[in-house]
Amino acid sequence: MSSEREVAFLKLQEERLTALEKKKADRKEANQSNQQLEEYLKNFDTLKSDIETQLDNVAKLSDASDKKSVLNSALTQAADLQVLLNDSLSFLPAYDLRRSQEVVTAIHQQIAKVQQECVPKKKFAFGKKKNVSTNANTVKENKTSEQQIESKFSKYTGDVVVENKSNETLELSKCEIHKKDVLLKNLSNCTVNLHSTMGTLHCTNCTNCTFSVGPISGSIFLEGCSGSTYHVTCQQARIHTTHGAVFYIHVTSKAIIEDCKDLKFAERTVFYEGYRDDLKESGLSDTNNWNNVDDFNWLSNDPSPNWQLIS
């Protein structure tokens, strides 16, 4: 009997020690998470303040080239701000994540406003759908390095084409893109605002960009893109050969990925003024399958390692 009591006592002691060790480990993990969050908030607010200071200084400059230089610097730092946010998604509480998203969006809007006020806006070279040419010289000229990416969507073009831009804020007006098919190609370090309903959107070879997109009644097609952030609403998302991207998405069907890595998906929470009217006009429903992703390269029942959900 005594021996049974001793065994029970030892078992109880072992359970207490295990519980104590778990509490210590939980406290240590919580402290590390708090330290990560404090470091993130410090770096985020510092970058935000630096960008706002640069934008305030633009109006004080008289030389156009100086203004452009400062704006380019602000755009680079805005991209760094987005990268910092993307790299911290795993430990950010919901409140800080939402606040950070709103700040990044506001920063890009502020840059666009200052750029419009202080630097003459460049005219876009819009393209129309072209007939396929059988001329050998035309085919040869079109084989640029970017087009050599093996593409499942290369046959697509657009009613509106914007290409070969870097370090710019690109805003296409509603009358330019309303219900049209839009092609964005070879963009880097750009902020792109497409605030209207559209038919389809194609993004090819876009790097380190931030996209704020209105409702797309059809699909968004991505290929060869990296390091970018998308605030998008669509019927379907087709994502090919893309990595290091974050999608804040409203998709009524589902997202389909192929040959992709390190993709993150979350529910869209940041909207532009007039978005709800555009959503109604697009005919898309309020149903959102943001967490329903098909990976064509992953047939196992286990979760795909190529994408993850963020809350």
Side-chain angles (χ1 to χ4, degrees):
M1 194 74 177
S2 174
S3 131
E4 290 180 358
R5 283 198 298 269
E6 288 178 0
V7 170
F9 176 76
L10 291 173
K11 184 178 180 182
L12 182 59
Q13 287 292 92
E14 184 179 352
E15 290 174 351
R16 287 175 177 173
L17 286 172
T18 300
L20 184 61
E21 290 299 322
K22 186 178 183 304
K23 285 183 179 179
K24 287 181 179 179
D26 289 345
R27 279 198 298 268
K28 183 177 180 181
E29 185 177 348
N31 288 336
Q32 289 175 341
S33 296
N34 288 336
Q35 289 174 359
Q36 280 183 308
L37 180 58
E38 288 175 7
E39 186 69 17
Y40 164 80
L41 292 175
K42 177 182 176 183
N43 293 336
F44 188 92
D45 288 339
T46 298
L47 258 178
K48 172 179 174 288
S49 297
D50 289 346
I51 296 169
E52 290 173 341
T53 299
Q54 289 192 80
L55 294 177
D56 288 340
N57 289 336
V58 171
K60 302 173 184 177
L61 299 172
S62 55
D63 186 76
S65 62
D66 290 340
K67 291 181 179 181
K68 185 175 180 180
S69 176
V70 173
L71 275 170
N72 285 341
S73 177
L75 275 168
T76 299
Q77 287 193 302
D80 291 341
L81 195 67
Q82 183 68 66
V83 169
L84 176 62
L85 171 57
N86 293 348
D87 289 345
S88 307
L89 292 172
S90 61
F91 62 82
L92 282 181
Y95 169 79
D96 293 296
L97 173 59
R98 185 166 56 253
R99 171 188 171 271
S100 297
Q101 291 172 347
E102 291 171 352
V103 167
V104 170
T105 299
I107 286 290
H108 285 299
Q109 290 173 345
Q110 191 176 355
I111 290 174
K113 181 180 179 182
V114 172
Q115 189 174 44
Q116 188 175 16
E117 292 174 349
C118 300
V119 179
K121 184 179 179 182
K122 292 182 179 179
K123 291 184 178 180
F124 295 118
F126 294 118
K128 294 289 183 180
K129 290 181 178 176
K130 298 180 181 180
N131 294 328
V132 177
S133 173
T134 57
N135 185 284
N137 290 331
T138 302
V139 173
K140 184 176 180 180
E141 289 172 0
N142 288 337
K143 289 185 177 179
T144 63
S145 58
E146 292 84 4
Q147 290 169 321
Q148 289 171 1
I149 300 172
E150 185 177 355
S151 170
K152 290 195 172 186
F153 307 132
S154 59
K155 64 181 179 179
Y156 295 110
T157 179
D159 301 310
V160 177
V161 180
V162 180
E163 59 184 340
N164 304 325
K165 303 286 184 180
S166 62
N167 299 306
E168 292 188 36
T169 297
L170 308 174
E171 293 202 44
L172 277 66
S173 67
K174 191 162 189 171
C175 64
E176 291 167 331
I177 62 175
H178 186 235
K179 294 187 177 181
K180 294 182 179 179
D181 296 335
V182 179
L183 171 62
L184 306 176
K185 187 175 180 180
N186 303 334
L187 307 183
S188 64
N189 300 306
C190 288
T191 298
V192 183
N193 296 321
L194 307 176
H195 295 168
S196 173
T197 55
M198 286 171 285
T200 61
L201 174 63
H202 301 263
C203 297
T204 300
N205 195 34
C206 295
T207 304
N208 298 330
C209 295
T210 298
F211 299 86
S212 174
V213 181
I216 302 166
S217 58
S219 297
I220 179 173
F221 299 90
L222 270 70
E223 59 174 345
C225 297
S226 63
S228 294
T229 299
Y230 302 83
H231 299 267
V232 61
T233 298
C234 58
Q235 192 271 330
Q236 186 183 72
R238 294 289 306 274
I239 306 164
H240 185 67
T241 58
T242 292
H243 65 274
V246 179
F247 297 88
Y248 299 100
I249 191 168
H250 178 132
V251 55
T252 60
S253 176
K254 64 173 64 175
I256 298 172
I257 69 174
E258 187 172 9
D259 300 325
C260 296
K261 290 183 179 180
D262 191 25
L263 303 186
K264 296 181 176 67
F265 292 85
E267 188 173 10
R268 183 171 188 173
T269 57
V270 177
F271 308 97
Y272 58 87
E273 185 177 354
Y275 168 83
R276 288 313 254 169
D277 291 336
D278 287 344
L279 180 63
K280 183 177 180 180
E281 182 187 34
S282 72
L284 296 174
S285 70
D286 288 328
T287 301
N288 189 1
N289 292 306
W290 65 274
N291 54 355
N292 187 1
V293 181
D294 275 355
D295 185 350
F296 280 7
N297 296 110
W298 191 257
L299 303 179
S300 170
N301 290 328
D302 296 328
S304 168
N306 298 318
W307 65 274
Q308 62 178 294
L309 300 177
I310 53 179
S311 56

